[in-house]
Amino acid sequence: MTGTATIDTGVLWTVIAALAVGSFALRFVFIGLVGNRPMPAWLLRHLRYTAVAILPAMVAPLVVWPAATGGQPDAARLAAAATTMAVGLWTKNVLAAILSGAGMLWALQWLLG
């Protein structure tokens, strides 16, 4: 046993096609059905924070269960995440937060080996 997973080509293309249809349907709801119609203020307010919520949702699993350490949390990634959040809250600047977190991760991985 080599440990490599295989997937049937038919299943793979079925999943890809289903994801394409789902992605199109989700975008069509907002662009095709809503279009230029005015949306309520509460919905616009919530949509404004969508981009801010997506980045932490994508990064959190990589911090808590990183594949590089076999799924075990490590100090460098936790410190980098804390630094990113602290700089983001302090400066309200996304690029400063991302760059400071990346710098902290790189520095701690270099120091800790």
Side-chain angles (χ1 to χ4, degrees):
M1 196 115 194
T2 59
T4 58
T6 60
I7 186 169
D8 182 48
T9 305
V11 172
L12 176 66
W13 282 108
T14 302
V15 169
I16 290 172
L19 289 172
V21 170
S23 177
F24 176 80
L26 184 63
R27 285 168 177 76
F28 183 75
V29 167
F30 284 100
I31 298 170
L33 297 179
V34 175
N36 292 333
R37 295 184 188 125
M39 291 192 284
W42 64 267
L43 181 59
L44 291 174
R45 183 174 182 201
H46 284 82
L47 288 174
R48 189 172 30 188
Y49 298 112
T50 302
V52 176
I54 288 174
L55 190 58
M58 290 171 49
V59 172
L62 299 174
V63 172
V64 180
W65 305 286
T69 61
Q72 298 298 318
D74 69 333
R77 285 171 177 80
L78 293 173
T83 301
T84 302
M85 191 162 74
V87 171
L89 289 172
W90 180 47
T91 64
K92 310 289 188 218
N93 186 328
V94 174
L95 286 179
I98 291 172
L99 292 176
S100 64
M104 176 63 80
L105 178 64
W106 179 80
L108 284 178
Q109 285 183 333
W110 183 73
L111 285 173
L112 299 175

XYZ file of all heavy atoms in Angstrom:
829
model
N 0.835 -1.174 0.000
C 0.000 0.000 0.000
C 0.884 1.243 0.000
O 1.766 1.376 0.816
C -0.855 -0.042 1.261
C -2.009 0.859 1.245
S -3.454 -0.167 1.283
C -4.679 0.933 0.850
N 0.688 2.121 -0.939
C 1.515 3.311 -1.040
C 0.955 4.476 -0.250
O 1.636 5.451 -0.028
C 1.652 3.729 -2.503
O 0.359 3.986 -3.024
C 2.344 2.639 -3.309
N -0.281 4.429 0.128
C -0.876 5.517 0.895
C -1.438 6.620 0.043
O -1.901 7.626 0.560
N -1.399 6.468 -1.265
C -1.971 7.495 -2.123
C -3.435 7.172 -2.368
O -3.810 6.041 -2.604
C -1.246 7.574 -3.471
O -1.328 6.309 -4.101
C 0.206 7.982 -3.292
N -4.253 8.205 -2.288
C -5.680 8.037 -2.513
C -5.981 8.199 -3.988
O -5.376 9.009 -4.673
C -6.445 9.063 -1.700
N -6.887 7.410 -4.467
C -7.318 7.545 -5.851
C -8.805 7.827 -5.863
O -9.528 7.465 -4.941
C -7.045 6.261 -6.647
O -7.748 5.191 -6.036
C -5.559 5.965 -6.712
N -9.226 8.503 -6.892
C -10.631 8.818 -7.044
C -11.042 8.476 -8.465
O -10.253 8.666 -9.408
C -10.904 10.294 -6.708
C -12.399 10.573 -6.719
C -10.159 11.214 -7.631
C -12.762 11.932 -6.140
N -12.220 7.957 -8.593
C -12.741 7.606 -9.907
C -12.920 8.875 -10.738
O -13.369 9.916 -10.246
C -14.085 6.900 -9.734
C -14.652 6.462 -11.069
O -13.905 5.859 -11.856
O -15.847 6.733 -11.311
N -12.542 8.798 -12.010
C -12.629 9.976 -12.885
C -14.066 10.463 -13.030
O -14.328 11.669 -13.045
C -12.052 9.636 -14.270
O -10.730 9.137 -14.102
C -12.005 10.864 -15.156
N -15.025 9.547 -13.099
C -16.429 9.948 -13.212
C -16.908 10.700 -11.987
O -17.632 11.706 -12.086
N -16.489 10.239 -10.810
C -16.867 10.924 -9.566
C -16.233 12.304 -9.515
O -16.870 13.286 -9.131
C -16.455 10.076 -8.341
C -16.653 10.847 -7.054
C -17.232 8.772 -8.317
N -14.969 12.376 -9.917
C -14.264 13.660 -9.909
C -14.972 14.682 -10.789
O -15.225 15.819 -10.366
C -12.817 13.468 -10.375
C -11.992 14.750 -10.499
C -11.774 15.371 -9.137
C -10.670 14.442 -11.173
N -15.318 14.293 -12.018
C -15.975 15.239 -12.925
C -17.390 15.568 -12.469
O -17.873 16.683 -12.684
C -15.959 14.705 -14.355
C -14.613 14.901 -14.979
C -13.685 13.943 -15.258
C -14.024 16.148 -15.351
N -12.557 14.519 -15.779
C -12.739 15.881 -15.852
C -14.453 17.467 -15.299
C -11.886 16.879 -16.310
C -13.603 18.469 -15.752
C -12.347 18.170 -16.244
N -18.051 14.615 -11.825
C -19.384 14.906 -11.272
C -19.294 15.945 -10.173
O -20.100 16.886 -10.113
C -20.021 13.610 -10.736
O -20.105 12.657 -11.791
C -21.407 13.878 -10.173
N -18.292 15.821 -9.312
C -18.106 16.800 -8.233
C -17.742 18.160 -8.817
O -18.266 19.197 -8.378
C -17.032 16.307 -7.241
C -16.630 17.408 -6.277
C -17.533 15.091 -6.487
N -16.854 18.186 -9.810
C -16.464 19.458 -10.440
C -17.670 20.123 -11.091
O -17.897 21.324 -10.936
C -15.328 19.228 -11.456
C -14.036 18.879 -10.720
C -15.132 20.460 -12.337
C -12.897 18.442 -11.623
N -18.496 19.339 -11.807
C -19.686 19.908 -12.451
C -20.684 20.409 -11.409
O -21.280 21.488 -11.570
C -20.335 18.863 -13.353
N -20.868 19.658 -10.320
C -21.792 20.091 -9.274
C -21.312 21.376 -8.611
O -22.114 22.277 -8.313
C -21.960 18.988 -8.229
N -20.010 21.490 -8.384
C -19.466 22.715 -7.805
C -19.629 23.895 -8.755
O -19.906 25.019 -8.325
C -17.998 22.527 -7.441
C -17.732 21.611 -6.252
C -16.238 21.353 -6.102
C -18.290 22.223 -4.978
N -19.456 23.656 -10.050
C -19.636 24.735 -11.026
C -21.079 25.209 -11.051
O -21.346 26.418 -11.047
C -19.203 24.258 -12.417
N -22.027 24.277 -11.041
C -23.448 24.655 -11.036
C -23.798 25.384 -9.744
O -24.495 26.407 -9.760
C -24.336 23.402 -11.233
C -25.797 23.726 -10.986
C -24.143 22.839 -12.633
N -23.315 24.885 -8.626
C -23.590 25.539 -7.344
C -22.994 26.928 -7.270
O -23.630 27.871 -6.786
N -21.780 27.079 -7.771
C -21.132 28.388 -7.765
C -21.884 29.375 -8.657
O -22.113 30.532 -8.278
C -19.682 28.241 -8.226
O -19.053 29.485 -8.287
N -22.301 28.902 -9.842
C -23.059 29.766 -10.736
C -24.398 30.151 -10.108
O -24.804 31.321 -10.163
C -23.300 29.068 -12.075
C -24.149 29.870 -13.006
C -23.603 30.899 -13.742
C -25.509 29.609 -13.128
C -24.388 31.655 -14.595
C -26.308 30.360 -13.974
C -25.735 31.385 -14.709
N -25.088 29.193 -9.498
C -26.396 29.472 -8.897
C -26.264 30.481 -7.764
O -27.102 31.387 -7.625
C -27.019 28.174 -8.387
N -25.223 30.348 -6.953
C -25.032 31.290 -5.844
C -24.789 32.702 -6.357
O -25.350 33.676 -5.842
C -23.859 30.829 -4.984
C -23.582 31.635 -3.732
C -24.760 31.549 -2.784
C -22.336 31.149 -3.049
N -23.983 32.840 -7.382
C -23.732 34.174 -7.943
C -24.953 34.709 -8.672
O -25.229 35.906 -8.642
C -22.535 34.117 -8.877
C -21.227 34.020 -8.127
C -20.084 33.666 -9.049
N -18.824 33.632 -8.361
C -18.429 32.659 -7.570
N -19.208 31.633 -7.335
N -17.258 32.699 -6.980
N -25.706 33.824 -9.339
C -26.880 34.262 -10.074
C -27.950 34.827 -9.133
O -28.672 35.755 -9.502
C -27.461 33.103 -10.883
C -28.630 33.505 -11.716
C -28.434 34.231 -12.882
C -29.926 33.186 -11.332
C -29.517 34.620 -13.652
C -31.005 33.572 -12.093
C -30.803 34.293 -13.261
N -28.043 34.289 -7.931
C -29.026 34.806 -6.971
C -28.760 36.287 -6.713
O -29.694 37.090 -6.710
C -28.978 33.998 -5.657
C -29.745 34.697 -4.560
C -29.522 32.607 -5.891
N -27.505 36.646 -6.522
C -27.189 38.045 -6.206
C -27.142 38.928 -7.455
O -27.645 40.043 -7.449
C -25.854 38.143 -5.466
C -25.960 37.741 -4.037
C -25.563 36.491 -3.626
C -26.495 38.611 -3.107
C -25.673 36.110 -2.302
C -26.611 38.244 -1.788
C -26.206 36.989 -1.384
N -26.544 38.427 -8.519
C -26.367 39.271 -9.700
C -27.584 39.219 -10.620
O -28.071 40.250 -11.075
C -25.094 38.848 -10.470
C -23.873 39.049 -9.576
C -24.946 39.639 -11.756
C -22.597 38.455 -10.131
N -28.106 38.021 -10.884
C -29.204 37.887 -11.821
C -30.554 38.233 -11.255
O -31.358 38.903 -11.904
N -30.843 37.774 -10.053
C -32.163 38.021 -9.486
C -32.260 39.376 -8.803
O -33.261 40.079 -8.940
C -32.533 36.913 -8.496
C -32.652 35.509 -9.102
C -33.005 34.498 -8.036
C -33.678 35.487 -10.219
N -31.238 39.746 -8.043
C -31.288 41.020 -7.320
C -30.953 42.164 -8.264
O -31.639 43.182 -8.288
C -30.340 41.012 -6.107
C -30.309 42.363 -5.445
C -30.759 39.940 -5.123
N -29.886 41.994 -9.067
C -29.528 42.976 -10.076
C -29.394 44.383 -9.524
O -28.655 44.625 -8.578
N -30.116 45.287 -10.128
C -30.032 46.697 -9.730
C -31.104 47.104 -8.718
O -31.246 48.279 -8.424
C -30.161 47.586 -10.965
C -28.971 47.461 -11.874
O -27.883 47.151 -11.412
N -29.172 47.661 -13.157
N -31.833 46.138 -8.222
C -32.869 46.471 -7.232
C -32.215 46.927 -5.934
O -31.161 46.420 -5.534
C -33.740 45.251 -6.967
C -34.518 44.831 -8.166
C -35.440 43.677 -7.821
N -36.020 43.179 -9.044
C -35.958 41.924 -9.436
N -35.372 41.025 -8.692
N -36.508 41.545 -10.565
N -32.837 47.875 -5.273
C -32.268 48.333 -3.997
C -32.400 47.243 -2.930
O -33.407 46.543 -2.862
C -33.110 49.560 -3.653
C -34.360 49.408 -4.428
C -34.031 48.610 -5.647
N -31.348 47.109 -2.148
C -31.350 46.120 -1.069
C -31.503 46.849 0.259
O -31.094 48.007 0.396
C -30.055 45.312 -1.090
C -29.959 44.392 -2.294
S -28.637 43.201 -2.181
C -27.235 44.201 -2.537
N -32.069 46.170 1.239
C -32.244 46.818 2.543
C -30.899 47.173 3.173
O -29.881 46.509 2.939
C -32.991 45.781 3.378
C -33.100 44.562 2.574
C -32.604 44.824 1.203
N -30.920 48.196 4.004
C -29.683 48.688 4.626
C -29.031 47.624 5.508
O -27.804 47.503 5.541
C -29.970 49.948 5.426
N -29.849 46.827 6.203
C -29.269 45.808 7.089
C -28.511 44.753 6.285
O -27.470 44.270 6.719
C -30.347 45.160 7.955
C -31.383 44.389 7.176
C -32.572 44.851 6.711
C -31.293 43.032 6.743
N -33.229 43.872 6.018
C -32.471 42.735 6.024
C -30.336 42.026 6.893
C -32.716 41.488 5.461
C -30.579 40.774 6.324
C -31.762 40.521 5.628
N -29.004 44.413 5.074
C -28.311 43.431 4.249
C -27.010 44.002 3.690
O -25.975 43.328 3.665
C -29.221 42.984 3.102
C -28.638 41.927 2.167
C -28.272 40.664 2.946
C -29.622 41.593 1.069
N -27.049 45.260 3.274
C -25.819 45.896 2.781
C -24.763 45.963 3.873
O -23.569 45.773 3.620
C -26.132 47.287 2.250
C -26.954 47.318 0.956
C -27.322 48.752 0.620
C -26.195 46.664 -0.166
N -25.206 46.231 5.101
C -24.256 46.305 6.217
C -23.595 44.945 6.456
O -22.399 44.857 6.687
C -24.974 46.773 7.474
C -24.056 46.940 8.630
C -24.757 47.540 9.802
N -23.807 47.736 10.887
C -24.160 47.852 12.127
N -25.419 47.856 12.464
N -23.256 48.017 13.048
N -24.393 43.877 6.374
C -23.836 42.540 6.586
C -22.924 42.129 5.430
O -21.895 41.481 5.642
C -24.959 41.526 6.762
C -25.603 41.587 8.097
N -26.572 42.509 8.385
C -25.407 40.879 9.225
C -26.961 42.347 9.632
N -26.260 41.365 10.169
N -23.286 42.481 4.216
C -22.451 42.131 3.068
C -21.104 42.843 3.106
O -20.111 42.342 2.590
C -23.171 42.454 1.764
C -24.344 41.536 1.416
C -25.064 42.051 0.186
C -23.877 40.112 1.222
N -21.054 44.008 3.726
C -19.804 44.755 3.825
C -18.757 43.993 4.616
O -17.570 44.124 4.386
C -20.092 46.107 4.486
C -18.941 47.045 4.447
C -19.299 48.420 4.935
N -20.351 48.381 5.939
C -20.957 49.435 6.425
N -20.625 50.621 6.002
N -21.892 49.340 7.330
N -19.173 43.155 5.557
C -18.233 42.426 6.403
C -17.912 41.023 5.880
O -17.170 40.287 6.514
C -18.779 42.326 7.830
C -18.946 43.674 8.464
C -20.207 44.171 8.746
C -17.850 44.464 8.763
C -20.371 45.417 9.315
C -17.996 45.706 9.319
C -19.261 46.174 9.596
O -19.408 47.397 10.149
N -18.458 40.650 4.742
C -18.233 39.306 4.216
C -16.759 39.062 3.910
O -16.205 38.035 4.292
C -19.065 39.092 2.941
O -20.432 39.304 3.261
C -18.867 37.702 2.388
N -16.127 39.987 3.234
C -14.714 39.808 2.882
C -13.837 39.720 4.127
O -12.865 38.958 4.166
C -14.261 40.953 1.989
N -14.171 40.479 5.143
C -13.386 40.455 6.379
C -13.553 39.114 7.085
O -12.630 38.630 7.735
C -13.812 41.620 7.300
C -13.083 41.566 8.615
C -13.576 42.935 6.601
N -14.696 38.481 6.946
C -14.942 37.209 7.625
C -14.336 36.024 6.879
O -14.035 35.001 7.491
C -16.440 37.007 7.782
N -14.144 36.156 5.585
C -13.665 35.012 4.801
C -12.207 34.690 5.094
O -11.838 33.529 5.243
C -13.886 35.279 3.299
C -15.377 35.192 2.996
C -13.101 34.313 2.436
C -15.730 35.569 1.595
N -11.369 35.701 5.198
C -9.934 35.461 5.401
C -9.652 34.696 6.695
O -8.938 33.686 6.673
C -9.159 36.772 5.343
C -7.654 36.647 5.304
C -7.212 35.813 4.110
C -7.010 38.005 5.239
N -10.203 35.109 7.849
C -9.969 34.299 9.057
C -10.537 32.892 8.948
O -9.951 31.940 9.469
C -10.681 35.087 10.157
C -10.774 36.461 9.646
C -10.889 36.349 8.158
N -11.648 32.733 8.253
C -12.229 31.399 8.095
C -11.331 30.497 7.266
O -11.274 29.287 7.490
C -13.612 31.512 7.450
N -10.605 31.073 6.324
C -9.688 30.279 5.517
C -8.404 29.966 6.265
O -7.796 28.914 6.076
C -9.362 31.027 4.218
C -10.522 31.102 3.264
S -10.270 32.172 1.849
C -8.699 31.658 1.234
N -7.967 30.870 7.145
C -6.673 30.715 7.802
C -6.779 29.905 9.097
O -5.844 29.194 9.458
C -6.062 32.107 8.076
C -4.822 32.007 8.925
C -5.760 32.794 6.765
N -7.902 29.973 9.782
C -8.033 29.332 11.093
C -7.676 27.844 11.089
O -6.936 27.390 11.980
C -9.439 29.547 11.637
N -8.143 27.035 10.141
C -7.726 25.623 10.161
C -6.225 25.438 9.989
O -5.646 24.501 10.531
C -8.488 25.009 8.981
C -9.628 25.910 8.743
C -9.147 27.282 9.107
N -5.576 26.350 9.237
C -4.125 26.236 9.047
C -3.359 26.619 10.306
O -2.209 26.246 10.472
C -3.696 27.130 7.880
C -4.312 26.778 6.534
C -3.922 27.818 5.495
C -3.891 25.394 6.111
N -3.995 27.377 11.190
C -3.355 27.753 12.448
C -3.580 26.677 13.506
O -2.671 26.289 14.229
C -3.897 29.116 12.940
C -3.394 29.426 14.339
C -3.515 30.213 11.967
N -4.792 26.178 13.587
C -5.135 25.236 14.651
C -4.678 23.820 14.317
O -4.182 23.109 15.185
C -6.654 25.278 14.911
C -7.033 24.305 16.006
C -7.087 26.691 15.287
N -4.858 23.399 13.064
C -4.471 22.048 12.641
C -3.569 22.124 11.422
O -3.951 21.676 10.331
C -5.711 21.218 12.311
C -6.696 21.162 13.398
C -6.601 20.444 14.555
C -7.944 21.856 13.458
N -7.712 20.662 15.318
C -8.556 21.515 14.675
C -8.609 22.729 12.603
C -9.783 22.024 15.039
C -9.832 23.231 12.981
C -10.409 22.873 14.172
N -2.351 22.648 11.545
C -1.501 22.797 10.354
C -1.022 21.445 9.834
O -0.620 20.576 10.608
C -0.328 23.639 10.862
C -0.299 23.422 12.323
C -1.702 23.155 12.744
N -1.078 21.290 8.536
C -0.621 20.041 7.912
C 0.878 19.879 8.054
O 1.377 18.752 8.110
C -1.016 20.038 6.440
N 1.607 20.988 8.144
C 3.068 20.924 8.229
C 3.534 20.255 9.518
O 4.632 19.710 9.565
C 3.652 22.325 8.130
N 2.711 20.294 10.562
C 3.093 19.671 11.836
C 2.281 18.416 12.105
O 2.225 17.949 13.240
C 2.903 20.665 12.989
O 1.517 21.029 13.057
C 3.764 21.889 12.816
N 1.624 17.911 11.095
C 0.824 16.704 11.278
C -0.479 16.966 12.012
O -1.031 16.073 12.642
N -0.966 18.180 11.955
C -2.232 18.514 12.595
C -2.109 18.981 14.033
O -3.109 19.239 14.694
N -0.885 19.088 14.529
C -0.670 19.539 15.900
C -0.389 21.041 15.915
O 0.429 21.530 15.143
C 0.523 18.812 16.524
C 0.337 17.320 16.615
C -0.837 16.942 17.504
O -1.025 17.535 18.567
N -1.640 15.995 17.054
N -1.057 21.801 16.777
C -0.768 23.240 16.837
C 0.660 23.493 17.308
O 1.201 22.734 18.109
C -1.780 23.763 17.868
C -2.614 22.624 18.288
C -2.075 21.369 17.695
N 1.258 24.567 16.794
C 2.608 24.906 17.244
C 2.671 26.384 17.590
O 1.816 27.182 17.192
C 3.652 24.524 16.202
C 3.587 25.370 14.957
O 2.506 25.877 14.643
O 4.617 25.511 14.300
N 3.677 26.730 18.353
C 3.792 28.079 18.914
C 3.980 29.131 17.828
O 3.441 30.239 17.940
C 4.948 28.124 19.898
N 4.733 28.827 16.787
C 5.012 29.824 15.746
C 3.733 30.259 15.045
O 3.503 31.451 14.845
C 6.001 29.252 14.729
N 2.897 29.321 14.682
C 1.653 29.666 13.981
C 0.663 30.368 14.903
O -0.039 31.294 14.478
C 1.046 28.414 13.361
C 1.806 27.968 12.126
C 1.356 26.613 11.629
N 2.049 26.252 10.406
C 3.266 25.769 10.359
N 3.943 25.576 11.470
N 3.836 25.474 9.207
N 0.590 29.937 16.146
C -0.315 30.606 17.083
C 0.150 32.038 17.361
O -0.664 32.960 17.425
C -0.408 29.799 18.384
C -1.099 28.436 18.251
C -0.990 27.659 19.554
C -2.550 28.597 17.847
N 1.452 32.239 17.505
C 1.978 33.591 17.724
C 1.772 34.470 16.500
O 1.444 35.658 16.618
C 3.459 33.530 18.091
N 1.945 33.895 15.314
C 1.722 34.662 14.083
C 0.260 35.071 13.962
O -0.048 36.203 13.573
C 2.152 33.838 12.872
N -0.648 34.176 14.301
C -2.074 34.512 14.246
C -2.415 35.596 15.268
O -3.175 36.532 14.970
C -2.912 33.263 14.495
N -1.855 35.490 16.468
C -2.111 36.504 17.497
C -1.545 37.855 17.069
O -2.180 38.900 17.269
C -1.508 36.061 18.822
N -0.355 37.845 16.470
C 0.252 39.084 15.985
C -0.592 39.708 14.879
O -0.831 40.928 14.873
C 1.674 38.807 15.462
O 2.441 38.263 16.510
C 2.323 40.073 14.929
N -1.052 38.885 13.961
C -1.891 39.385 12.864
C -3.151 40.035 13.410
O -3.545 41.132 12.997
C -2.262 38.236 11.916
O -1.073 37.649 11.429
C -3.104 38.732 10.766
N -3.799 39.372 14.352
C -5.028 39.920 14.918
C -4.757 41.205 15.694
O -5.506 42.186 15.569
C -5.705 38.894 15.826
C -7.102 39.307 16.215
S -8.103 37.968 16.831
C -7.421 37.713 18.437
N -3.694 41.234 16.473
C -3.381 42.425 17.260
C -3.059 43.621 16.365
O -3.567 44.728 16.587
C -2.210 42.129 18.200
N -2.235 43.391 15.347
C -1.887 44.491 14.428
C -3.115 44.939 13.639
O -3.327 46.139 13.421
C -0.731 44.070 13.496
C -0.500 45.091 12.400
C 0.536 43.863 14.300
N -3.951 43.996 13.240
C -5.166 44.353 12.515
C -6.111 45.183 13.360
O -6.684 46.170 12.881
N -6.278 44.802 14.611
C -7.152 45.583 15.502
C -6.554 46.949 15.799
O -7.267 47.938 15.906
C -7.396 44.810 16.800
C -8.288 43.579 16.675
C -8.295 42.798 17.972
C -9.694 43.986 16.288
N -5.234 47.015 15.925
C -4.574 48.268 16.298
C -4.516 49.244 15.131
O -4.825 50.425 15.276
C -3.179 47.965 16.832
C -2.397 49.158 17.255
C -2.820 50.203 18.034
C -1.043 49.437 16.904
N -1.808 51.098 18.193
C -0.711 50.664 17.507
C -0.090 48.766 16.156
C 0.548 51.227 17.372
C 1.158 49.332 16.034
C 1.455 50.543 16.641
N -4.138 48.737 13.949
C -3.929 49.639 12.821
C -5.126 49.738 11.879
O -5.186 50.665 11.074
C -2.715 49.173 11.985
O -3.007 47.894 11.425
C -1.460 49.116 12.819
N -6.039 48.759 11.919
C -7.167 48.680 10.968
C -6.671 48.608 9.526
O -7.322 49.067 8.606
C -8.107 49.889 11.108
C -8.549 50.192 12.498
C -9.503 49.176 13.013
C -10.078 49.618 14.351
N -10.256 48.573 15.270
N -5.495 48.039 9.334
C -4.865 47.930 8.019
C -4.632 46.454 7.713
O -3.863 45.776 8.401
C -3.545 48.702 8.010
C -2.919 48.760 6.639
O -3.056 47.845 5.840
N -2.229 49.851 6.368
N -5.285 45.953 6.680
C -5.197 44.524 6.344
C -3.785 44.144 5.932
O -3.254 43.117 6.372
C -6.199 44.176 5.226
C -6.030 42.739 4.773
C -7.613 44.424 5.687
N -3.164 44.962 5.088
C -1.811 44.625 4.628
C -0.812 44.626 5.770
O 0.067 43.755 5.842
C -1.375 45.585 3.529
C -2.037 45.368 2.176
C -1.544 46.409 1.178
C -1.789 43.975 1.668
N -0.922 45.590 6.672
C -0.016 45.615 7.824
C -0.217 44.376 8.689
O 0.754 43.787 9.174
C -0.241 46.881 8.643
N -1.457 43.967 8.865
C -1.740 42.771 9.663
C -1.169 41.521 9.008
O -0.517 40.694 9.665
C -3.242 42.636 9.861
N -1.395 41.366 7.708
C -0.907 40.182 6.996
C 0.617 40.140 7.000
O 1.239 39.110 7.288
C -1.457 40.155 5.560
C -2.963 39.890 5.582
C -0.748 39.103 4.718
C -3.621 40.037 4.232
N 1.247 41.270 6.694
C 2.706 41.291 6.632
C 3.342 41.074 7.999
O 4.367 40.392 8.119
C 3.180 42.608 6.013
C 2.840 42.767 4.524
C 3.252 44.151 4.025
C 3.476 41.675 3.694
N 2.750 41.645 9.046
C 3.312 41.432 10.383
C 3.155 39.980 10.821
O 4.048 39.404 11.443
C 2.666 42.377 11.389
O 1.289 42.085 11.509
N 2.020 39.371 10.508
C 1.826 37.960 10.836
C 2.780 37.066 10.069
O 3.352 36.129 10.630
N 2.972 37.358 8.793
C 3.908 36.571 7.996
C 5.331 36.743 8.520
O 6.096 35.779 8.595
C 3.820 36.980 6.526
N 5.686 37.962 8.881
C 7.015 38.207 9.437
C 7.220 37.477 10.749
O 8.299 36.903 10.993
N 6.195 37.488 11.592
C 6.303 36.781 12.872
C 6.437 35.282 12.649
O 7.252 34.616 13.307
C 5.073 37.074 13.733
C 5.049 36.325 15.039
S 6.403 36.765 16.139
C 5.785 38.288 16.821
N 5.667 34.735 11.725
C 5.765 33.299 11.435
C 7.146 32.952 10.913
O 7.766 31.987 11.374
C 4.695 32.895 10.416
C 4.707 31.434 9.998
C 4.402 30.535 11.187
C 3.723 31.188 8.871
N 7.644 33.739 9.963
C 8.963 33.465 9.409
C 10.041 33.572 10.493
O 10.919 32.708 10.608
C 9.255 34.441 8.273
C 10.611 34.227 7.682
C 10.980 33.283 6.779
C 11.788 34.958 7.997
N 12.310 33.398 6.496
C 12.843 34.419 7.247
C 12.056 36.030 8.854
C 14.132 34.913 7.324
C 13.355 36.519 8.923
C 14.363 35.956 8.150
N 9.987 34.619 11.318
C 11.000 34.825 12.348
C 10.976 33.708 13.398
O 12.025 33.191 13.796
C 10.790 36.180 13.019
N 9.785 33.320 13.832
C 9.720 32.270 14.851
C 10.122 30.905 14.287
O 10.765 30.113 14.992
C 8.310 32.199 15.444
C 7.983 33.319 16.427
C 6.558 33.186 16.928
C 8.954 33.309 17.596
N 9.756 30.633 13.040
C 10.200 29.368 12.461
C 11.714 29.346 12.283
O 12.345 28.308 12.438
C 9.501 29.125 11.124
C 8.063 28.700 11.295
C 7.393 28.393 9.982
O 7.773 28.918 8.947
N 6.381 27.546 10.030
N 12.306 30.504 11.973
C 13.764 30.569 11.838
C 14.432 30.419 13.209
O 15.430 29.712 13.350
C 14.142 31.907 11.202
C 15.606 32.039 10.968
C 16.358 31.415 10.019
C 16.510 32.843 11.722
N 17.665 31.792 10.131
C 17.790 32.665 11.164
C 16.357 33.699 12.807
C 18.900 33.314 11.668
C 17.474 34.351 13.301
C 18.722 34.157 12.730
N 13.850 31.060 14.247
C 14.431 30.973 15.582
C 14.250 29.593 16.206
O 15.148 29.067 16.873
C 13.798 32.022 16.501
C 14.239 33.463 16.287
C 13.417 34.406 17.146
C 15.714 33.611 16.584
N 13.054 29.004 16.028
C 12.766 27.723 16.666
C 13.263 26.533 15.847
O 13.284 25.409 16.339
C 11.259 27.592 16.904
C 10.658 28.653 17.832
C 9.146 28.498 17.892
C 11.275 28.570 19.222
N 13.625 26.804 14.610
C 14.183 25.734 13.780
C 13.189 24.932 13.055
O 12.199 24.497 13.201
